[in-house]
Amino acid sequence: MTLPYTRWPDDFAVRYREKGYWRDLPLTDILSRHASSDATALVDGERRFSYRELEQAATRLAGALQRRGLKTGDTALVQLGNVAEFYITLFALWKIGVASVNALFSHQRTELDAYASQIAPALLIADREHGLFGDDAWLETLKARTPSLRVIALRNDTLEALIDEPADNVVASPSAPDEVAFFQLSGGSTGTPKLIPRTHNDYYYSIRRSVEICRFDSETRYLCALPAAHNYPMSSPGALGVFFGGGCVVLASDPSATLCFPLIEQHQINVTALVPPAVSLWLQAVGEGGADAQLASLKLLQVGGARLSDSLAARIPAELGCQLQQVFGMAEGLVNYTRLDDPDERIFTTQGRPMSPDDEVWVADENGEPLPPGEVGRLMTRGPYTFRGYYNSPEHNARAFDKNGFYCSGDLIAIDEQGYITVKGREKDQINRGGEKIAAEEIENLLLSHEAIVHAALVSMEDSLMGEKSCAYIVTSRPVKAVEIRRFLRELGVADFKLPDRVERVDELPLTAVGKVDKKQLRQWLAARQSASE
Ligand code: AMP
Ligand code: DBH
């Protein structure tokens, strides 16, 4: 059985194979190519896994799940943090052709529910350490609501035993290389979170090409401090890029300086990936004195997920003592990198250029017509690792793609003569809270389920550390306090980073000429208030 998804047209598939981008290998190859290596692949706290051990653990879990009836074409809902079991599970599921959605550890009921209802998972892998799974209360609700669910394995409970089962009679049965390997999560801009089907062929290419550009190899020692399931630390080149190159991944549960600096020194980390707010905190931690001795081994710092200011960028080499690489990517595909030998000026002021010679990127005006070089407009792209449609979302896809299969990311960009991209803004209804994306509509819908809220609009407000934070403008039928709103949302079960940082009660929301909420106006109100209070 295979899962439905929107494919690349045949002539593109032919070309991508001819050019060697698509090699018809399953993603399991990333690990199995090193299966006889005793080099350390992964460090999680006190635990170390050689390539051989990681591969064997994944094979044992694959076998255990296969014996419980899981098979090619099934789907899984997975929620694991930055722990070794995340990668063991990832490779195990690829081995038996089970396509997972890897929820972030910060996700709560609302997000998990949305994923489960979209993919109808046969398998759930989660962690007793997560508040939702500390006892069985919510698990029972999820089971009742998800009749497709046949197997449940929880870390700190039953998952460990499955990984320890003997690897008898495991039949490798990955999905075909041009089928869905797993679903990546979109930051989203609509009411329901959207799922991005990623195939073995397209994802493996994006990893190999990233490794080439970032020069990862067996000497690479990568600190994974961002959420492991996110596309960036997973594939740009991320942990999978490190595994491909035969290097070592060290896990950190968060990107704080107090946790990461000692890990960098202890494990002689030479590369890591951060979002801009974490960079600010690292710079603060290093302080006036300049490069911290603990960071001596660090050669390359990747920064992406949200716009890095030129001024912060320029401080990185000077104060952290390492090279900067800007990364502008999306779980939908397209990834841009500044190159390691680019001049400083370009590294500090642009978000890089597309990684593949066959990434087609152009800038459209509001009518979808191409703009001349240098002008600011909508990013349009297609290519050998950029998806062709969200899972089961024909209506949204009709809006998100043009007739030639170009995806409109909702970013406003300019492209210079050398092909380098600068991110200038955003058209999609999303808040980028320091790299964590919030779909305004998702939160507005939840707000509207509150009995006293009549109208709601979520908008971004400037923040010196996070870049953006969220402000909810609400019209209510009675006085309601901000704390009540936040508590209400938390009780509905939504990730913490999506809770409005500020709540403003107003008599009415400003409307545009066509009668839509005028968010531009709301953002202007906020900016005026902020500058008045400074
Ligand atoms: P997602 O859809 O969650 O994968 O998020 C991708 C989005 O993050 C992009 O479309 C951009 O809006 C934003 N983004 C990622 N990297 C950068 C960057 N380096 N600079 C500015 N925005 C970025
Ligand atoms: O923000 C992102 O989604 C992102 C950023 C950098 C990404 O998906 C990536 C690199 O691959």
Side-chain angles (χ1 to χ4, degrees):
M1 203 194 93
T2 61
L3 297 164
Y5 82 101
T6 313
R7 284 159 197 280
W8 286 258
D10 288 344
D11 49 333
F12 283 83
V14 168
R15 179 151 55 88
Y16 295 156
R17 284 194 170 89
E18 271 172 9
K19 294 203 171 178
Y21 303 149
W22 291 5
R23 297 201 176 155
D24 289 312
L25 286 170
L27 286 164
T28 51
D29 182 67
I30 291 172
L31 208 54
S32 59
R33 66 202 293 268
H34 303 292
S36 57
S37 164
D38 291 314
T40 303
L42 184 62
V43 178
D44 171 5
E46 297 301 306
R47 298 189 293 165
R48 278 172 185 269
F49 296 80
S50 68
Y51 277 90
R52 189 194 302 276
E53 287 164 342
L54 197 57
E55 167 73 7
Q56 286 174 351
T59 304
R60 291 194 303 271
L61 179 58
L65 294 172
Q66 210 163 48
R67 281 189 288 280
R68 283 159 184 78
L70 288 154
K71 56 186 191 310
T72 318
D74 281 340
T75 58
L77 178 59
V78 176
Q79 186 185 43
L80 294 169
N82 288 17
V83 293
E85 286 78 8
F86 174 76
Y87 302 104
I88 295 170
T89 299
L90 197 62
F91 282 99
L93 296 183
W94 284 338
K95 279 172 188 283
I96 57 171
V98 172
S100 59
V101 169
N102 304 309
L104 301 181
F105 208 65
S106 57
H107 285 151
Q108 302 289 344
R109 290 196 307 270
T110 304
E111 291 90 2
L112 298 191
D113 258 341
Y115 302 141
S117 66
Q118 288 186 69
I119 61 165
L123 168 68
L124 170 74
I125 295 189
D127 197 333
R128 284 281 187 213
E129 249 171 39
H130 191 288
L132 270 182
F133 300 102
D135 61 36
D136 287 346
W138 190 69
L139 194 57
E140 290 304 326
T141 314
L142 182 69
K143 271 161 62 178
R145 217 181 280 161
T146 316
S148 54
L149 212 49
R150 304 197 302 270
V151 181
I152 295 172
L154 297 178
R155 183 170 175 271
N156 288 307
D157 193 337
T158 49
L159 179 62
E160 286 80 358
L162 294 189
I163 297 175
D164 284 342
E165 281 189 14
D168 299 338
N169 313 317
V170 189
V171 186
S173 54
S175 54
D178 58 353
E179 301 289 347
V180 182
F182 74 113
F183 295 95
Q184 195 46 273
L185 305 176
S186 164
S189 57
T190 60
T192 21
K194 295 280 178 290
L195 298 175
I196 304 159
R198 299 295 306 246
T199 66
H200 296 271
N201 273 339
D202 88 76
Y203 212 64
Y204 204 168
Y205 171 57
S206 83
I207 291 163
R208 287 195 317 269
R209 181 63 186 143
S210 295
V211 165
E212 203 171 5
I213 288 173
C214 304
R215 300 186 196 153
F216 278 23
D217 57 22
S218 59
E219 302 295 305
T220 300
R221 304 186 62 79
Y222 175 88
L223 183 72
C224 178
L226 296 176
H230 193 280
N231 196 57
Y232 170 26
M234 191 163 154
S235 69
S236 296
L240 295 180
V242 178
F243 295 149
F244 178 74
C248 175
V249 174
V250 176
L251 294 171
S253 53
D254 68 67
S256 65
T258 32
L259 179 65
C260 291
F261 285 15
L263 283 174
I264 290 173
E265 182 174 39
Q266 185 189 347
H267 299 286
Q268 291 295 293
I269 296 299
N270 47 28
V271 50
T272 188
L274 293 180
V275 288
V279 173
S280 298
L281 297 175
W282 281 30
L283 285 168
Q284 246 176 50
V286 164
E288 303 288 300
D292 195 297
Q294 289 180 301
L295 303 184
S297 58
L298 192 64
K299 296 282 175 297
L300 180 68
L301 177 62
Q302 299 185 291
V303 182
R307 182 70 157 90
L308 178 68
S309 70
D310 298 0
S311 56
L312 216 52
R315 290 176 58 192
I316 288 170
E319 296 176 38
L320 298 178
C322 59
Q323 201 189 342
L324 164 67
Q325 177 179 51
Q326 296 215 36
V327 192
F328 165 38
M330 49 201 77
E332 285 81 356
L334 181 70
V335 181
N336 305 277
Y337 294 104
T338 56
R339 303 305 199 256
L340 300 187
D341 47 13
D342 275 342
D344 278 355
E345 177 66 11
R346 204 169 276 162
I347 295 177
F348 296 160
T349 61
T350 81
Q351 279 65 62
R353 63 184 163 90
M355 67 166 154
S356 170
D358 274 76
D359 279 322
E360 300 172 72
V361 184
W362 55 283
V363 180
D365 68 12
E366 57 274 17
N367 302 315
E369 298 299 325
L371 282 166
E375 291 202 20
V376 178
R378 298 175 173 161
L379 187 163
M380 305 293 297
T381 188
R382 67 181 184 193
Y385 61 97
T386 294
F387 82 140
R388 291 292 184 135
Y390 293 102
Y391 188 60
N392 281 343
S393 313
E395 281 155 36
H396 185 63
N397 288 337
R399 287 193 299 276
F401 290 83
D402 78 1
K403 61 179 190 307
N404 299 315
F406 282 93
Y407 167 62
C408 177
S409 75
D411 294 300
L412 297 174
I413 60 157
I415 306 181
D416 69 16
E417 246 110 70
Q418 283 81 40
Y420 280 73
I421 295 177
T422 327
V423 180
K424 303 285 190 187
R426 187 181 329 120
E427 209 176 39
K428 55 188 163 191
D429 201 2
Q430 183 183 79
I431 292 130
N432 189 336
R433 195 180 185 280
E436 293 188 297
K437 319 300 186 313
I438 307 166
E441 193 181 314
E442 186 189 1
I443 301 307
E444 287 160 6
N445 288 342
L446 296 175
L447 286 168
L448 288 172
S449 67
H450 188 286
E451 39 75 38
I453 298 182
V454 187
H455 298 293
L458 195 76
V459 294
S460 63
M461 55 181 183
E462 251 184 65
D463 182 80
S464 58
L465 179 62
M466 303 303 281
E468 292 172 29
K469 281 187 170 179
S470 67
C471 174
Y473 274 94
I474 50 172
V475 178
T476 60
S477 56
R478 62 168 168 84
V480 209
K481 289 215 172 79
V483 282
E484 181 184 338
I485 302 295
R486 291 166 57 83
R487 192 184 327 121
F488 172 75
L489 289 176
R490 193 177 277 123
E491 277 165 12
L492 280 180
V494 65
D496 257 12
F497 70 85
K498 297 183 185 173
L499 301 176
D501 293 288
R502 176 164 169 168
V503 179
E504 290 281 336
R505 270 181 66 221
V506 286
D507 292 336
E508 53 188 33
L509 295 176
L511 299 180
T512 63
V514 288
K516 286 207 272 187
V517 174
D518 190 348
K519 292 200 166 175
K520 217 165 143 189
Q521 179 83 61
L522 288 174
R523 283 190 290 267
Q524 279 166 9
W525 285 4
L526 264 176
R529 274 184 165 239
Q530 279 183 315
S531 60
S533 66
E534 268 163 18

